[in-house]
């Protein structure tokens, strides 16, 4: 198992539309295990492969406190939505920022599981919201896209500034760096 690096907004790779998975094999199951390890380590309740720079239609969710309800969704599709409501969302790719998003609070989703077997699931509340949040990632969409441009720009600048402050600089970055 490997802990993967989570891409952060505004990384353009988060805008990639993921490709459908053709076969659920041992290599895919190894990636699924890596996604769970990465999600649990980051204290998230869901993780889409896109966030780990893997552009396949694959996501994992565990909304339990005890980390004992792992759910795998390969090629997920929502086919029924009802009861639009607002919930506060966060995202491991937009660290430290939370805001309200309007989504269906009750959905039916179909996907393949870890064994490649198709299943259908009715989900409500946090699970329903999380499934839609993860599918958005697979389509290159982030929860901040539902906010005003003003808010989105503010979040982007804050994260860009944090990233600059966390990036080590060397002499070669200075004004007298030799031409390459
Ligand atoms: O950990 C997460 N919490 C969360 C809370 C409300 C709505 C959606 C989420 S998903 C998020 C993890 C994440 O970024 N998944 O893509
Ligand atoms: Ni997210």
């Amino acid at each position: 198992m490997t802990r993967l690096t989570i891409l952060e907004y505004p990384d353009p790779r988060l805008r990639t539309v993921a490709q459908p998975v053709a076969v659920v094999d041992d290599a895919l199951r190894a990636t699924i295990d890596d996604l769970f390890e990465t999600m649990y380590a980051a204290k998230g309740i869901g993780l889409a492969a896109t966030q780990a720079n893997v552009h396949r239609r694959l996501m994992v969710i565990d909304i339990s406190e005890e980390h004992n309800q792992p759910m795998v969704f390969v090629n997920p599709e929502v086919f029924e939505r009802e009861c639009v409501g607002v919930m506060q969302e966060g995202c491991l790719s937009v660290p430290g920022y939370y805001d309200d998003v309007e989504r269906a609070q009750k959905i039916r989703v179909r996907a393949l599981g870890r064994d490649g077997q198709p299943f259908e699931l009715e989900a409500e509340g946090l699970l329903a919201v999380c499934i839609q949040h993860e599918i958005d990632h697979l389509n290159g969409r982030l929860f901040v896209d539902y906010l005003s441009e003003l808010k989105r720009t503010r979040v982007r600048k804050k994260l860009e500034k944090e990233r600059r402050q966390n990036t080590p600089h060397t002499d070669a970055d200075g004004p007298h760096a030799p031409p390459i």
Side-chain angles (χ1 to χ4, degrees):
M1 294 240 284
T2 313
R3 200 175 298 178
L4 307 169
T5 303
I6 298 176
L7 302 178
E8 292 184 4
Y9 180 68
D11 192 311
R13 292 172 290 183
L14 287 168
R15 298 309 186 179
T16 312
V17 177
Q19 293 294 317
V21 170
V23 277
V24 179
D25 55 12
D26 286 345
L28 193 82
R29 278 183 282 273
T31 304
I32 289 169
D33 292 344
D34 292 345
L35 291 175
F36 274 117
E37 184 183 344
T38 306
M39 178 189 79
Y40 287 132
K43 302 192 190 301
I45 59 170
L47 190 68
T50 306
Q51 293 174 276
N53 201 27
V54 174
H55 301 290
R56 330 264 301 275
R57 304 193 75 82
L58 167 66
M59 61 201 219
V60 299
I61 292 180
D62 187 343
I63 62 165
S64 73
E65 302 263 322
E66 304 82 12
H67 294 179
N68 61 1
Q69 286 166 37
M71 306 175 81
V72 175
F73 299 81
V74 176
N75 299 339
E77 276 180 63
V78 173
F79 62 94
E80 274 179 46
R81 305 167 175 79
E82 50 182 316
C83 304
V84 172
V86 171
M87 197 177 283
Q88 188 176 70
E89 298 194 19
C91 182
L92 295 171
S93 296
V94 190
Y97 188 77
Y98 306 86
D99 213 329
D100 287 348
V101 178
E102 198 176 89
R103 298 190 193 265
Q105 302 294 306
K106 192 167 168 185
I107 61 168
R108 289 173 67 78
V109 62
R110 110 174 97 237
L112 306 179
R114 195 191 158 79
D115 54 2
Q117 285 301 111
F119 66 94
E120 288 184 7
L121 176 79
E122 183 175 296
E124 293 182 29
L126 182 60
L127 180 59
V129 167
C130 190
I131 290 169
Q132 293 169 87
H133 175 116
E134 303 313 339
I135 292 175
D136 271 355
H137 278 301
L138 302 181
N139 292 325
R141 198 169 169 88
L142 297 166
F143 87 98
V144 293
D145 297 343
Y146 296 99
L147 309 178
S148 68
E149 191 172 337
L150 179 70
K151 280 187 177 179
R152 199 163 45 249
T153 302
R154 225 182 260 156
V155 176
R156 177 172 54 74
K157 291 195 167 153
K158 180 172 156 266
L159 291 176
E160 281 171 344
K161 186 176 172 191
E162 280 171 14
R163 164 120 6 138
R164 270 198 308 279
Q165 287 170 346
N166 291 330
T167 307
H169 292 279
T170 64
D171 287 351
D173 296 328
H176 307 297
I180 299 166

